[in-house]
Amino acid sequence: MGDFMQPLAIITIITFLVTLGFILWRPRNINEAIPATIGAFIIIICGTVTFPDLLYITKTISDAAITIIATIVMAIVLESFGFFNWVAEKLAEKAKGSGIRLFWYVNFLCFLMTLFFNNDGSILITTPILIMLLNNMGLKNQQKIPYLLSGGLIATASSAPIGVSNIVNLISLKIVDMSLYSQTAMMFVPATIGLLLLVGLLYLYFKKALPKHVPSQVTGMTLPSYHPIKQGSFQKTKKDRDKFMRNVLLFVVIVRGSLFIASFFSIPISVMAVLGSLVLLGWRWVSLKIPPVDMLKKIPWYIIVFAFSMYVIIYGLTNIGLTDWLIATMSPIVQGSLLNTSVLMGIVLSVLSNLFNNHPALMVGTITLTNLGLDPLSLKVAYLANVIGSDIGSLLLPIGTLATLMWMHILREGKIKFSWWQYIKVTIVVIPPTVIFTLILLYYWVTWLF
């Protein structure tokens, strides 16, 4: 098609912009899947996306969608065991009364939550628990912000080291035909060091605002009403409870590890994720006498509907010639040195993510890359640079990721006063240096590795 002035192209572009506007604005707290679904429906009715395209899209996102849903099921089961309450109590214990130590433990928890579950799950589950913990400690609004903001940024950015922590990353992996195993081998080290720089910069920024002393024990914590997966808790003696929770944690680590083994042997990772969640569901049924049927109501199915609908809209833009235009624009950027490829692609994706949200930005960027005729190594470096831009660079503005928008919403629910301007004052200082540093590190790590 290729001509942006054709009526079909104009309808497609307007549909994309209006859909995006509604997703970011969310009037009356409307679920983001609703405008995305309406937008996708218009694109299909127009004929910009055909039936064979829909089959291709379904095939591309199915493995990612099943993996993410299985991961969320595991998180819901852990919540019924009272696992996250137990984690909050352990955080307070480990901090030993030091507000500074608590800062580092909070960020480490948020990193692990994204690694073991995913970025959206990490934000949805961890933020209300942190609010509950900080309220229980009797901290003032301004004293809570360093913990909540750094935790939110780290939770979202931590989806960069491994592809399985973010549904968009998983879909993009499928598009560039890269295994989870090779993505992690190339990305885990540079992205994790980048995260260490980010948390270090956040610590320097908030150092004076952190309380010197906090209570070392918290008691009587119950999950707030706005927690997405509130359920009954698991009553045991402290010693038995500790042992039980450690066993559950060990099982989650084994399931997470099995995804990489599956990827290495070219087994769909969704198979291992589903097996892991089924075992946990059975474990819960035996321990708490809760049958698995409640999952049908508790699983946030809208995440899958949203991902599918956004991909349909992006595919429509690709069919009207957006990819051709981006290929012409990006070809000079990615030709030449790998260092240029890494840094410039990461910056382009950071800008696109903050303008249009990282979900469509990464999909557009990835589809474009596959049509640039790059050699395999350049394609992988360019793709990983895209991921750094869309997972870390997108955090510059609150509209850059859905996870950040959800985080802002949870803060409002928890009566925490925090504005967009306060957010940007911090991110403008910490995000650009982190992105540039991580992109340069990616280049050196990959050239050393290969």
Side-chain angles (χ1 to χ4, degrees), residues 5 58 79 83 86 130 137 145 165 282 337 354 390-391 432 449:
M5 297 318 290
T58 306
E79 189 49 67
F83 179 80
W86 176 77
L130 289 179
M137 287 179 162
I145 297 303
S165 294
S337 80
N354 283 291
S390 79
D391 287 4
L449 205 63

Side-chain angles (χ1 to χ4, degrees), residues 172-371:
S172 301
L173 269 179
K174 181 86 174 168
I175 296 169
V176 293
D177 195 26
M178 192 175 181
S179 74
L180 181 63
Y181 176 81
S182 61
Q183 193 262 8
T184 307
M186 295 170 92
M187 186 72 139
F188 190 81
V189 171
T192 304
I193 295 171
L195 287 171
L196 285 171
L197 173 69
L198 176 58
V199 78
L201 292 171
L202 285 163
Y203 173 70
L204 292 174
Y205 188 96
F206 286 124
K207 198 176 175 183
K208 287 179 183 164
L210 291 169
K212 295 285 176 282
H213 302 288
V214 293
S216 56
Q217 280 199 317
V218 287
T219 52
M221 289 196 295
T222 54
L223 280 174
S225 58
Y226 51 86
H227 197 281
I229 48 180
K230 193 170 184 242
Q231 284 185 340
S233 189
F234 198 46
Q235 302 301 323
K236 278 178 175 280
T237 64
K238 189 179 186 307
K239 192 180 170 188
D240 287 348
R241 189 164 170 249
D242 285 356
K243 187 183 172 188
F244 179 83
M245 295 305 177
R246 286 192 193 105
N247 288 342
V248 169
L249 186 60
L250 178 65
F251 178 77
V252 172
V253 172
I254 291 166
V255 171
R256 213 60 172 163
S258 73
L259 301 186
F260 296 93
I261 296 164
S263 176
F264 186 75
F265 290 107
S266 302
I267 300 164
I269 56 170
S270 56
V271 172
M272 303 311 291
V274 168
L275 282 174
S277 60
L278 287 174
V279 171
L280 261 186
L281 275 171
W283 195 347
R284 185 185 71 154
W285 200 349
V286 170
S287 302
L288 294 182
K289 307 290 181 283
I290 302 173
V293 287
D294 66 324
M295 286 297 149
L296 293 172
K297 231 166 51 178
K298 290 194 166 78
I299 291 171
W301 299 105
Y302 69 87
I303 290 172
I304 306 307
V305 177
F306 176 77
F308 181 82
S309 301
M310 284 310 289
Y311 198 172
V312 169
I313 295 168
I314 297 305
Y315 214 84
L317 288 172
T318 301
N319 284 349
I320 61 159
L322 176 72
T323 313
D324 299 336
W325 177 76
L326 280 171
I327 287 166
T329 311
M330 287 184 176
S331 273
I333 292 175
V334 294
Q335 304 307 329
S337 80
L338 266 182
L339 182 60
N340 279 358
T341 301
S342 179
V343 174
L344 293 171
M345 284 305 296
I347 290 170
V348 166
L349 252 288
S350 296
V351 172
L352 284 176
S353 295
N354 283 291
L355 288 175
F356 298 123
N357 187 273
N358 69 338
H359 201 123
L362 184 59
M363 283 192 180
V364 167
T366 308
I367 292 168
T368 303
L369 284 180
T370 57
N371 292 293

Side-chain angles (χ1 to χ4, degrees), residues 18-19 22-23 30-40 313:
V18 171
T19 302
F22 272 100
I23 288 167
I30 186 174
N31 190 299
E32 57 270 11
I34 293 170
T37 306
I38 294 167
I313 295 168

